PDB file of all heavy atoms in Angstrom:
ATOM      1  N   GLU A  22      -7.719  34.686  44.624  1.00  0.00           N
ATOM      2  CA  GLU A  22      -6.478  34.125  44.300  1.00  0.00           C
ATOM      3  C   GLU A  22      -6.175  32.932  45.420  1.00  0.00           C
ATOM      4  O   GLU A  22      -7.031  32.193  45.655  1.00  0.00           O
ATOM      5  CB  GLU A  22      -5.296  35.127  44.497  1.00  0.00           C
ATOM      6  CG  GLU A  22      -5.352  36.237  43.370  1.00  0.00           C
ATOM      7  CD  GLU A  22      -5.163  35.643  41.957  1.00  0.00           C
ATOM      8  OE1 GLU A  22      -4.271  34.843  41.777  1.00  0.00           O
ATOM      9  OE2 GLU A  22      -5.749  36.004  41.052  1.00  0.00           O
ATOM     10  N   THR A  23      -4.941  33.062  46.067  1.00  0.00           N
ATOM     11  CA  THR A  23      -4.654  31.912  46.946  1.00  0.00           C
ATOM     12  C   THR A  23      -5.051  32.196  48.449  1.00  0.00           C
ATOM     13  O   THR A  23      -4.716  31.386  49.286  1.00  0.00           O
ATOM     14  CB  THR A  23      -3.151  31.622  46.956  1.00  0.00           C
ATOM     15  OG1 THR A  23      -2.369  32.810  47.339  1.00  0.00           O
ATOM     16  CG2 THR A  23      -2.673  31.298  45.427  1.00  0.00           C
ATOM     17  N   TRP A  24      -5.664  33.340  48.711  1.00  0.00           N
ATOM     18  CA  TRP A  24      -5.958  33.727  50.047  1.00  0.00           C
ATOM     19  C   TRP A  24      -7.054  32.791  50.606  1.00  0.00           C
ATOM     20  O   TRP A  24      -7.836  32.193  49.881  1.00  0.00           O
ATOM     21  CB  TRP A  24      -6.275  35.246  50.273  1.00  0.00           C
ATOM     22  CG  TRP A  24      -5.086  35.948  50.215  1.00  0.00           C
ATOM     23  CD1 TRP A  24      -4.222  36.223  51.337  1.00  0.00           C
ATOM     24  CD2 TRP A  24      -4.370  36.709  49.074  1.00  0.00           C
ATOM     25  NE1 TRP A  24      -3.232  36.988  50.893  1.00  0.00           N
ATOM     26  CE2 TRP A  24      -3.268  37.360  49.594  1.00  0.00           C
ATOM     27  CE3 TRP A  24      -4.835  36.832  47.810  1.00  0.00           C
ATOM     28  CZ2 TRP A  24      -2.458  38.110  48.805  1.00  0.00           C
ATOM     29  CZ3 TRP A  24      -3.957  37.647  46.945  1.00  0.00           C
ATOM     30  CH2 TRP A  24      -2.739  38.199  47.494  1.00  0.00           C
ATOM     31  N   GLY A  25      -7.118  32.881  51.955  1.00  0.00           N
ATOM     32  CA  GLY A  25      -8.102  32.050  52.664  1.00  0.00           C
ATOM     33  C   GLY A  25      -7.625  30.651  52.774  1.00  0.00           C
ATOM     34  O   GLY A  25      -6.604  30.206  52.115  1.00  0.00           O
ATOM     35  N   ASN A  26      -8.268  29.842  53.634  1.00  0.00           N
ATOM     36  CA  ASN A  26      -7.870  28.416  53.771  1.00  0.00           C
ATOM     37  C   ASN A  26      -8.977  27.627  54.462  1.00  0.00           C
ATOM     38  O   ASN A  26      -9.972  28.185  55.037  1.00  0.00           O
ATOM     39  CB  ASN A  26      -6.673  28.312  54.619  1.00  0.00           C
ATOM     40  CG  ASN A  26      -6.439  29.343  55.653  1.00  0.00           C
ATOM     41  OD1 ASN A  26      -7.196  29.391  56.636  1.00  0.00           O
ATOM     42  ND2 ASN A  26      -5.626  30.285  55.418  1.00  0.00           N
ATOM     43  N   ILE A  27      -8.977  26.301  54.338  1.00  0.00           N
ATOM     44  CA  ILE A  27     -10.121  25.522  54.688  1.00  0.00           C
ATOM     45  C   ILE A  27      -9.589  24.332  55.515  1.00  0.00           C
ATOM     46  O   ILE A  27      -8.550  23.701  55.076  1.00  0.00           O
ATOM     47  CB  ILE A  27     -10.915  25.104  53.392  1.00  0.00           C
ATOM     48  CG1 ILE A  27     -11.401  26.271  52.693  1.00  0.00           C
ATOM     49  CG2 ILE A  27     -12.030  24.051  53.841  1.00  0.00           C
ATOM     50  CD1 ILE A  27     -12.236  25.800  51.396  1.00  0.00           C
ATOM     51  N   SER A  28     -10.417  23.749  56.438  1.00  0.00           N
ATOM     52  CA  SER A  28     -10.038  22.506  57.013  1.00  0.00           C
ATOM     53  C   SER A  28     -11.298  21.711  57.382  1.00  0.00           C
ATOM     54  O   SER A  28     -12.310  22.350  57.539  1.00  0.00           O
ATOM     55  CB  SER A  28      -9.138  22.709  58.221  1.00  0.00           C
ATOM     56  OG  SER A  28      -9.836  23.345  59.285  1.00  0.00           O
ATOM     57  N   VAL A  29     -11.166  20.529  57.607  1.00  0.00           N
ATOM     58  CA  VAL A  29     -12.221  19.711  58.148  1.00  0.00           C
ATOM     59  C   VAL A  29     -11.630  18.618  59.046  1.00  0.00           C
ATOM     60  O   VAL A  29     -10.457  18.285  58.908  1.00  0.00           O
ATOM     61  CB  VAL A  29     -12.918  18.930  56.901  1.00  0.00           C
ATOM     62  CG1 VAL A  29     -12.057  17.949  56.172  1.00  0.00           C
ATOM     63  CG2 VAL A  29     -14.225  18.252  57.502  1.00  0.00           C
ATOM     64  N   ARG A  30     -12.368  18.295  60.071  1.00  0.00           N
ATOM     65  CA  ARG A  30     -11.949  17.320  61.036  1.00  0.00           C
ATOM     66  C   ARG A  30     -12.796  16.034  61.006  1.00  0.00           C
ATOM     67  O   ARG A  30     -13.974  16.126  60.801  1.00  0.00           O
ATOM     68  CB  ARG A  30     -12.071  17.832  62.560  1.00  0.00           C
ATOM     69  CG  ARG A  30     -12.082  16.778  63.561  1.00  0.00           C
ATOM     70  CD  ARG A  30     -11.732  17.258  64.933  1.00  0.00           C
ATOM     71  NE  ARG A  30     -12.861  18.122  65.556  1.00  0.00           N
ATOM     72  CZ  ARG A  30     -12.626  18.715  66.726  1.00  0.00           C
ATOM     73  NH1 ARG A  30     -11.517  18.550  67.463  1.00  0.00           N
ATOM     74  NH2 ARG A  30     -13.582  19.545  67.148  1.00  0.00           N
ATOM     75  N   ASP A  31     -12.110  14.911  60.772  1.00  0.00           N
ATOM     76  CA  ASP A  31     -12.837  13.654  60.870  1.00  0.00           C
ATOM     77  C   ASP A  31     -13.179  13.325  62.196  1.00  0.00           C
ATOM     78  O   ASP A  31     -12.225  13.124  63.109  1.00  0.00           O
ATOM     79  CB  ASP A  31     -11.838  12.501  60.284  1.00  0.00           C
ATOM     80  CG  ASP A  31     -12.508  11.165  60.303  1.00  0.00           C
ATOM     81  OD1 ASP A  31     -13.549  11.043  60.992  1.00  0.00           O
ATOM     82  OD2 ASP A  31     -11.932  10.288  59.739  1.00  0.00           O
ATOM     83  N   PRO A  32     -14.544  13.335  62.629  1.00  0.00           N
ATOM     84  CA  PRO A  32     -14.835  13.126  64.020  1.00  0.00           C
ATOM     85  C   PRO A  32     -14.497  11.858  64.452  1.00  0.00           C
ATOM     86  O   PRO A  32     -14.349  11.632  65.790  1.00  0.00           O
ATOM     87  CB  PRO A  32     -16.340  13.486  64.110  1.00  0.00           C
ATOM     88  CG  PRO A  32     -16.754  13.324  62.596  1.00  0.00           C
ATOM     89  CD  PRO A  32     -15.606  13.633  61.758  1.00  0.00           C
ATOM     90  N   GLU A  33     -14.317  10.892  63.654  1.00  0.00           N
ATOM     91  CA  GLU A  33     -13.941   9.484  64.106  1.00  0.00           C
ATOM     92  C   GLU A  33     -12.470   9.301  64.502  1.00  0.00           C
ATOM     93  O   GLU A  33     -12.262   8.838  65.435  1.00  0.00           O
ATOM     94  CB  GLU A  33     -14.309   8.484  63.073  1.00  0.00           C
ATOM     95  CG  GLU A  33     -15.825   8.100  63.086  1.00  0.00           C
ATOM     96  CD  GLU A  33     -16.287   7.214  61.987  1.00  0.00           C
ATOM     97  OE1 GLU A  33     -15.412   6.443  61.430  1.00  0.00           O
ATOM     98  OE2 GLU A  33     -17.404   7.246  61.728  1.00  0.00           O
ATOM     99  N   THR A  34     -11.584   9.808  63.700  1.00  0.00           N
ATOM    100  CA  THR A  34     -10.213   9.789  63.948  1.00  0.00           C
ATOM    101  C   THR A  34      -9.662  10.906  64.657  1.00  0.00           C
ATOM    102  O   THR A  34      -8.492  10.827  65.236  1.00  0.00           O
ATOM    103  CB  THR A  34      -9.305   9.562  62.611  1.00  0.00           C
ATOM    104  OG1 THR A  34      -9.484  10.768  61.821  1.00  0.00           O
ATOM    105  CG2 THR A  34      -9.911   8.351  61.821  1.00  0.00           C
ATOM    106  N   GLY A  35     -10.271  12.105  64.556  1.00  0.00           N
ATOM    107  CA  GLY A  35      -9.774  13.330  65.110  1.00  0.00           C
ATOM    108  C   GLY A  35      -8.735  13.996  64.280  1.00  0.00           C
ATOM    109  O   GLY A  35      -8.241  15.057  64.551  1.00  0.00           O
ATOM    110  N   LEU A  36      -8.435  13.403  63.078  1.00  0.00           N
ATOM    111  CA  LEU A  36      -7.436  14.007  62.169  1.00  0.00           C
ATOM    112  C   LEU A  36      -8.020  15.179  61.496  1.00  0.00           C
ATOM    113  O   LEU A  36      -9.255  15.160  61.207  1.00  0.00           O
ATOM    114  CB  LEU A  36      -6.961  12.910  61.163  1.00  0.00           C
ATOM    115  CG  LEU A  36      -6.131  11.763  61.759  1.00  0.00           C
ATOM    116  CD1 LEU A  36      -5.807  10.728  60.628  1.00  0.00           C
ATOM    117  CD2 LEU A  36      -4.810  12.353  62.323  1.00  0.00           C
ATOM    118  N   VAL A  37      -7.114  16.150  61.095  1.00  0.00           N
ATOM    119  CA  VAL A  37      -7.644  17.373  60.545  1.00  0.00           C
ATOM    120  C   VAL A  37      -6.948  17.473  59.070  1.00  0.00           C
ATOM    121  O   VAL A  37      -5.760  17.262  58.938  1.00  0.00           O
ATOM    122  CB  VAL A  37      -7.207  18.632  61.374  1.00  0.00           C
ATOM    123  CG1 VAL A  37      -7.618  19.944  60.708  1.00  0.00           C
ATOM    124  CG2 VAL A  37      -7.802  18.615  62.799  1.00  0.00           C
TER     125      VAL A  37
END
Side-chain angles (χ1 to χ4, degrees):
E22 295 292 322
T23 61
W24 280 280
N26 34 72
I27 299 177
S28 70
V29 65
R30 164 161 63 181
D31 176 350
E33 278 174 24
T34 63
L36 292 174
V37 177

